């Protein structure tokens, strides 16, 4: 199977969207909703959406694996955002009736500073060697996850740089009905994006771990392919999300042959998220760490140490994994 696309920028909706002046169910205090119409978007059609690979959209925070300090590193998403003056100017432009002209950004002066180690995301537009902001006025980018940075402590919990491994959740290679948690070499994940999920991420929609014993895992983007998706019609997708077990997910991401990624979120269809019983939690999960080859005593409190103690155990669902680290 070919490696699927990586998430380096905001994904467009598979349908043309419209704004309705109703309180959002996705974002608190947002006075409007962005809803899908029944028309498939030109971007989706241009990307050959009907021959794309549909996958589960996982609810977490986006990460990236690339080299840093001469070895594979996990990177956290950090968008460079405009300062107050530039943001005010940009919002006035968006709300003005004479916005047919393109907004002019001064990248060197309009944006807040970022760490020196920050890198812009791939695939974003460049002008005179400078990365340019997207339609929201942000420049998507990444910062390396270092153990000393407490801001990214949950990111740090899923990697070990000494042995260059990461805690990854994906399907068992021999059984698509079984999930597997394993220690994967970071080198095998190079130039991939992944989703970090867990106790302290986005309200923990999958119910992992607890406040006392937090649990976080990485899921490669595109890892959970959808096998029996209905036709690409608004009404059929609505029925699928509402009426079948496989539809108990946050959304769908289509991986197109040209590398383009197209999505639909439950909220685009007027549906709620999070939901009580997710599809991810309907499958058993096997712990398959195989850490003996490292001949190393992991820190007693780290996730790798805990999983080494329950290696080869099988659980009824992710929620059932209780950590005692």
């Amino acid at each position: 199977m070919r490696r699927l696309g990586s998430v380096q920028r905001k994904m467009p909706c598979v349908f043309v969207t419209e704004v309705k002046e109703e309180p959002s169910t996705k974002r608190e205090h947002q006075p409007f909703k962005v809803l899908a119409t029944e028309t498939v978007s030109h971007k989706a059609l241009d990307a050959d959406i009907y021959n794309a690979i549909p996958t589960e959209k996982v609810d977490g925070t986006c990460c990236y694996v690339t080299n840093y300090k001469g070895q594979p590193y996990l990177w956290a998403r950090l968008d460079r955002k405009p300062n107050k003056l530039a943001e005010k100017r940009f919002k006035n432009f968006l709300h003005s009736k004479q916005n047919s002209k393109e907004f002019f950004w001064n990248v060197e002066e309009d944006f807040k500073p970022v760490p020196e180690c920050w890198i812009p995301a791939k695939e974003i537009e460049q002008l005179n060697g400078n990365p340019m902001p997207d339609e929201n006025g942000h420049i998507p980018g990444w910062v390396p996850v270092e153990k000393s940075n407490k801001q990214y402590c949950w990111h740090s919990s899923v990697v070990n740089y000494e042995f260059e491994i990461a805690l990854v959740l994906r399907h068992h290679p021999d059984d698509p009905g079984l999930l597997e948690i394993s220690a994967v070499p970071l080198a095998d994940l190079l130039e991939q994006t992944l989703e970090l999920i867990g106790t302290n991420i986005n309200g923990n929609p999958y119910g992992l771990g607890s406040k006392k014993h937090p649990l976080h895992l990485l899921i490669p983007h595109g890892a959970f392919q959808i096998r029996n998706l209905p036709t690409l019609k608004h009404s059929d997708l609505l029925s699928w999300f509402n009426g079948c077990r496989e539809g108990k997910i946050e959304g769908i991401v289509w991986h197109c042959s040209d590398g383009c990624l197209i999505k639909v979120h439950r909220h685009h269809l007027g549906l709620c998220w999070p939901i009580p019983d997710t599809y991810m939690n309907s499958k058993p999960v096997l712990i398959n760490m195989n850490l003996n080859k490292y001949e190393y005593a992991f820190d007693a409190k780290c996730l790798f140490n805990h999983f080494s103690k329950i290696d080869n155990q099988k659980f009824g669902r992710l929620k059932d994994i209780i950590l005692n680290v």
Side-chain angles (χ1 to χ4, degrees), residues 90 93 98-105 125 127 132-133:
F90 182 57
F93 167 80
Q98 297 177 341
N99 62 356
S100 57
K101 295 181 180 179
E102 187 176 349
F103 185 81
F104 174 75
W105 290 103
E125 293 183 21
L127 181 64
M132 297 302 292

Side-chain angles (χ1 to χ4, degrees), residues 6-165:
S6 65
V7 179
Q8 295 281 347
R9 60 190 303 173
K10 188 175 177 64
M11 292 180 285
C13 181
V14 69
F15 297 108
V16 175
T17 58
E18 61 182 6
V19 176
K20 288 202 172 182
E21 299 298 327
E22 299 174 6
S24 172
T25 55
K26 184 179 182 181
R27 293 184 177 90
E28 193 176 356
H29 307 306
Q30 181 174 291
F32 61 89
K33 291 180 179 179
V34 179
L35 296 174
T37 66
E38 296 186 4
T39 305
V40 178
S41 73
H42 285 297
K43 284 186 179 180
L45 293 173
D46 290 343
D48 194 19
I49 189 71
Y50 291 104
N51 290 306
I53 298 173
T55 68
E56 176 178 347
K57 185 181 187 302
V58 177
D59 188 2
T61 185
C62 195
C63 304
Y64 176 46
V65 176
T66 194
N67 285 313
Y68 179 63
K69 295 182 177 178
Q71 70 176 92
Y73 248 70
L74 185 69
W75 295 61
R77 181 70 175 266
L78 179 66
D79 289 2
R80 193 174 183 191
K81 299 178 180 180
N83 55 41
K84 287 185 178 180
L85 285 175
E87 185 177 23
K88 183 177 180 180
R89 190 162 52 91
F90 182 57
K91 285 184 176 180
N92 289 338
F93 167 80
L94 292 178
H95 290 100
S96 69
K97 294 182 179 179
Q98 297 177 341
N99 62 356
S100 57
K101 295 181 180 179
E102 187 176 349
F103 185 81
F104 174 75
W105 290 103
N106 185 330
V107 177
E108 295 181 357
E109 296 182 3
D110 287 344
F111 287 85
K112 297 175 183 177
V114 287
E116 287 187 12
C117 54
W118 179 88
I119 59 172
K122 292 183 177 181
E123 302 171 11
I124 63 174
E125 293 183 21
Q126 302 263 342
L127 181 64
N128 299 325
N130 290 319
M132 297 302 292
D134 59 20
E135 66 270 21
N136 299 308
H138 295 176
I139 305 175
W142 310 99
V143 288
V145 172
E146 302 201 65
K147 293 289 184 182
S148 59
N149 191 336
K150 292 184 179 180
Q151 182 180 353
Y152 299 111
C153 61
W154 308 122
H155 293 71
S156 294
S157 71
V158 298
V159 289
N160 181 295
Y161 291 133
E162 183 171 355
F163 293 105
E164 299 184 8
I165 52 177

